[in-house]
Short mmCIF file of all heavy atoms in Angstrom, two decimals:
data_model
loop_
_atom_site.label_atom_id
_atom_site.label_comp_id
_atom_site.label_asym_id
_atom_site.label_seq_id
_atom_site.Cartn_x
_atom_site.Cartn_y
_atom_site.Cartn_z
N ILE A 1 -2.89 4.03 6.55
CA ILE A 1 -2.76 5.47 6.30
C ILE A 1 -1.32 5.74 5.87
O ILE A 1 -0.38 5.39 6.57
CB ILE A 1 -3.10 6.28 7.56
CG1 ILE A 1 -4.52 5.94 8.05
CG2 ILE A 1 -2.98 7.77 7.29
CD1 ILE A 1 -4.88 6.56 9.39
N HIS A 2 -1.16 6.36 4.71
CA HIS A 2 0.17 6.54 4.11
C HIS A 2 0.45 8.03 3.85
O HIS A 2 0.28 8.51 2.73
CB HIS A 2 0.26 5.76 2.80
CG HIS A 2 -0.06 4.30 2.93
ND1 HIS A 2 0.90 3.35 3.20
CD2 HIS A 2 -1.25 3.64 2.84
CE1 HIS A 2 0.32 2.15 3.26
NE2 HIS A 2 -0.98 2.31 3.05
N PRO A 3 0.88 8.77 4.87
CA PRO A 3 1.18 10.20 4.67
C PRO A 3 2.53 10.40 4.00
O PRO A 3 3.42 9.54 4.07
CB PRO A 3 1.19 10.74 6.10
CG PRO A 3 1.65 9.57 6.92
CD PRO A 3 1.07 8.34 6.26
N ILE A 4 2.67 11.51 3.34
CA ILE A 4 3.99 11.92 2.84
C ILE A 4 4.83 12.34 4.05
O ILE A 4 4.36 13.10 4.89
CB ILE A 4 3.86 13.09 1.85
CG1 ILE A 4 3.19 12.61 0.55
CG2 ILE A 4 5.21 13.72 1.55
CD1 ILE A 4 2.88 13.71 -0.43
N PRO A 5 6.05 11.83 4.18
CA PRO A 5 6.87 12.18 5.35
C PRO A 5 7.26 13.65 5.33
O PRO A 5 7.80 14.15 4.33
CB PRO A 5 8.09 11.28 5.21
CG PRO A 5 8.18 10.95 3.75
CD PRO A 5 6.76 10.92 3.27
N THR A 6 6.99 14.35 6.41
CA THR A 6 7.34 15.77 6.49
C THR A 6 8.52 16.03 7.43
O THR A 6 8.84 17.19 7.71
CB THR A 6 6.12 16.59 6.95
OG1 THR A 6 5.69 16.14 8.24
CG2 THR A 6 4.97 16.46 5.96
N ASP A 7 9.14 14.97 7.90
CA ASP A 7 10.32 15.13 8.75
C ASP A 7 11.61 15.01 7.95
O ASP A 7 12.70 14.92 8.52
CB ASP A 7 10.31 14.09 9.88
CG ASP A 7 10.29 12.65 9.35
OD1 ASP A 7 10.07 12.45 8.13
OD2 ASP A 7 10.48 11.72 10.17
N ALA A 8 11.49 15.01 6.62
CA ALA A 8 12.66 14.89 5.76
C ALA A 8 13.46 16.20 5.76
O ALA A 8 12.94 17.28 6.05
CB ALA A 8 12.23 14.54 4.34
N ALA A 9 14.71 16.09 5.38
CA ALA A 9 15.58 17.26 5.36
C ALA A 9 15.28 18.19 4.19
O ALA A 9 15.64 19.37 4.23
CB ALA A 9 17.04 16.81 5.31
N SER A 10 14.63 17.66 3.15
CA SER A 10 14.36 18.47 1.96
C SER A 10 13.13 17.90 1.24
O SER A 10 12.75 16.74 1.45
CB SER A 10 15.56 18.45 1.01
OG SER A 10 15.70 17.14 0.45
N PRO A 11 12.51 18.70 0.36
CA PRO A 11 11.39 18.18 -0.42
C PRO A 11 11.79 16.97 -1.28
O PRO A 11 11.00 16.02 -1.42
CB PRO A 11 10.98 19.37 -1.30
CG PRO A 11 11.44 20.57 -0.55
CD PRO A 11 12.70 20.15 0.14
N ASP A 12 12.99 17.00 -1.84
CA ASP A 12 13.43 15.88 -2.68
C ASP A 12 13.58 14.60 -1.88
O ASP A 12 13.23 13.51 -2.37
CB ASP A 12 14.76 16.22 -3.37
CG ASP A 12 14.59 17.23 -4.49
OD1 ASP A 12 13.44 17.43 -4.95
OD2 ASP A 12 15.60 17.82 -4.91
N GLU A 13 14.09 14.72 -0.65
CA GLU A 13 14.22 13.53 0.19
C GLU A 13 12.84 12.96 0.54
O GLU A 13 12.62 11.74 0.49
CB GLU A 13 14.97 13.85 1.48
CG GLU A 13 15.13 12.63 2.40
CD GLU A 13 15.70 13.00 3.77
OE1 GLU A 13 16.62 13.84 3.81
OE2 GLU A 13 15.22 12.43 4.78
N ALA A 14 11.92 13.83 0.89
CA ALA A 14 10.55 13.38 1.19
C ALA A 14 9.92 12.72 -0.03
O ALA A 14 9.23 11.70 0.09
CB ALA A 14 9.70 14.56 1.65
N ALA A 15 10.16 13.30 -1.21
CA ALA A 15 9.60 12.74 -2.44
C ALA A 15 10.15 11.35 -2.70
O ALA A 15 9.41 10.42 -3.07
CB ALA A 15 9.92 13.66 -3.61
N GLU A 16 11.43 11.17 -2.50
CA GLU A 16 12.04 9.87 -2.74
C GLU A 16 11.51 8.83 -1.76
O GLU A 16 11.23 7.69 -2.13
CB GLU A 16 13.57 9.98 -2.63
CG GLU A 16 14.31 8.66 -2.80
CD GLU A 16 14.01 7.97 -4.13
OE1 GLU A 16 13.80 8.67 -5.14
OE2 GLU A 16 13.98 6.72 -4.15
N ARG A 17 11.35 9.21 -0.52
CA ARG A 17 10.83 8.27 0.48
C ARG A 17 9.40 7.86 0.15
O ARG A 17 9.02 6.68 0.27
CB ARG A 17 10.91 8.90 1.87
CG ARG A 17 12.32 8.92 2.45
CD ARG A 17 12.43 9.81 3.68
NE ARG A 17 11.54 9.41 4.76
CZ ARG A 17 11.43 10.08 5.91
NH1 ARG A 17 12.16 11.16 6.11
NH2 ARG A 17 10.60 9.67 6.84
N TYR A 18 8.58 8.83 -0.29
CA TYR A 18 7.19 8.50 -0.61
C TYR A 18 7.12 7.66 -1.89
O TYR A 18 6.28 6.76 -1.99
CB TYR A 18 6.36 9.76 -0.76
CG TYR A 18 4.88 9.54 -0.50
CD1 TYR A 18 4.45 8.91 0.66
CD2 TYR A 18 3.91 9.98 -1.40
CE1 TYR A 18 3.09 8.71 0.92
CE2 TYR A 18 2.56 9.79 -1.16
CZ TYR A 18 2.16 9.16 0.00
OH TYR A 18 0.81 8.97 0.26
N ALA A 19 7.99 7.94 -2.83
CA ALA A 19 8.03 7.13 -4.05
C ALA A 19 8.34 5.68 -3.72
O ALA A 19 7.74 4.75 -4.29
CB ALA A 19 9.05 7.70 -5.03
N ARG A 20 9.27 5.45 -2.81
CA ARG A 20 9.59 4.09 -2.40
C ARG A 20 8.38 3.41 -1.78
O ARG A 20 8.12 2.21 -2.03
CB ARG A 20 10.77 4.08 -1.43
CG ARG A 20 12.11 4.41 -2.08
CD ARG A 20 13.27 3.95 -1.21
NE ARG A 20 13.31 4.60 0.08
CZ ARG A 20 13.97 5.72 0.34
NH1 ARG A 20 14.67 6.32 -0.62
NH2 ARG A 20 13.98 6.25 1.55
N GLU A 21 7.63 4.15 -0.96
CA GLU A 21 6.45 3.56 -0.34
C GLU A 21 5.39 3.22 -1.38
O GLU A 21 4.76 2.15 -1.32
CB GLU A 21 5.87 4.51 0.71
CG GLU A 21 4.66 3.93 1.44
CD GLU A 21 4.31 4.69 2.71
OE1 GLU A 21 4.99 5.69 3.02
OE2 GLU A 21 3.36 4.28 3.39
N LEU A 22 5.17 4.11 -2.34
CA LEU A 22 4.20 3.84 -3.39
C LEU A 22 4.60 2.62 -4.23
O LEU A 22 3.76 1.78 -4.57
CB LEU A 22 4.04 5.06 -4.29
CG LEU A 22 3.27 6.24 -3.72
CD1 LEU A 22 3.45 7.47 -4.62
CD2 LEU A 22 1.79 5.91 -3.58
N LYS A 23 5.86 2.54 -4.58
CA LYS A 23 6.33 1.41 -5.39
C LYS A 23 6.21 0.09 -4.62
O LYS A 23 5.87 -0.95 -5.21
CB LYS A 23 7.77 1.65 -5.83
CG LYS A 23 7.91 2.77 -6.85
CD LYS A 23 9.37 3.06 -7.18
CE LYS A 23 9.49 4.21 -8.18
NZ LYS A 23 10.90 4.53 -8.51
N SER A 24 6.49 0.13 -3.32
CA SER A 24 6.34 -1.07 -2.50
C SER A 24 4.88 -1.50 -2.46
O SER A 24 4.57 -2.70 -2.57
CB SER A 24 6.86 -0.80 -1.08
OG SER A 24 6.63 -1.91 -0.24
N PHE A 25 3.97 -0.55 -2.31
CA PHE A 25 2.55 -0.86 -2.29
C PHE A 25 2.10 -1.41 -3.64
O PHE A 25 1.35 -2.40 -3.71
CB PHE A 25 1.76 0.40 -1.96
CG PHE A 25 0.27 0.23 -1.94
CD1 PHE A 25 -0.38 -0.25 -0.81
CD2 PHE A 25 -0.49 0.53 -3.06
CE1 PHE A 25 -1.77 -0.42 -0.79
CE2 PHE A 25 -1.87 0.37 -3.05
CZ PHE A 25 -2.51 -0.11 -1.92
N TYR A 26 2.57 -0.82 -4.70
CA TYR A 26 2.18 -1.22 -6.06
C TYR A 26 2.83 -2.54 -6.48
O TYR A 26 2.24 -3.31 -7.24
CB TYR A 26 2.59 -0.11 -7.02
CG TYR A 26 2.08 -0.26 -8.43
CD1 TYR A 26 0.73 -0.21 -8.73
CD2 TYR A 26 2.98 -0.41 -9.50
CE1 TYR A 26 0.26 -0.33 -10.03
CE2 TYR A 26 2.53 -0.51 -10.81
CZ TYR A 26 1.17 -0.47 -11.07
OH TYR A 26 0.71 -0.57 -12.37
N GLY A 27 4.04 -2.77 -5.98
CA GLY A 27 4.73 -4.02 -6.29
C GLY A 27 5.51 -3.99 -7.58
O GLY A 27 5.80 -5.06 -8.16
N ALA A 28 5.85 -2.80 -8.08
CA ALA A 28 6.61 -2.69 -9.32
C ALA A 28 7.28 -1.33 -9.37
O ALA A 28 6.90 -0.39 -8.67
CB ALA A 28 5.70 -2.88 -10.53
#
């Protein structure tokens, strides 16, 4: 289960964290 983090300080920080998770899952 891969939720978007909602404990981030800002929407941009949450977006960056989720992008890293997606890229790690995708492998590129």
Side-chain angles (χ1 to χ4, degrees):
I1 303 172
H2 305 270
I4 290 174
T6 60
D7 59 349
S10 68
D12 287 344
E13 179 188 320
E16 178 56 34
R17 285 167 58 183
Y18 205 52
R20 288 199 298 269
E21 182 165 1
L22 286 168
K23 291 176 181 179
S24 176
F25 179 84
Y26 189 65

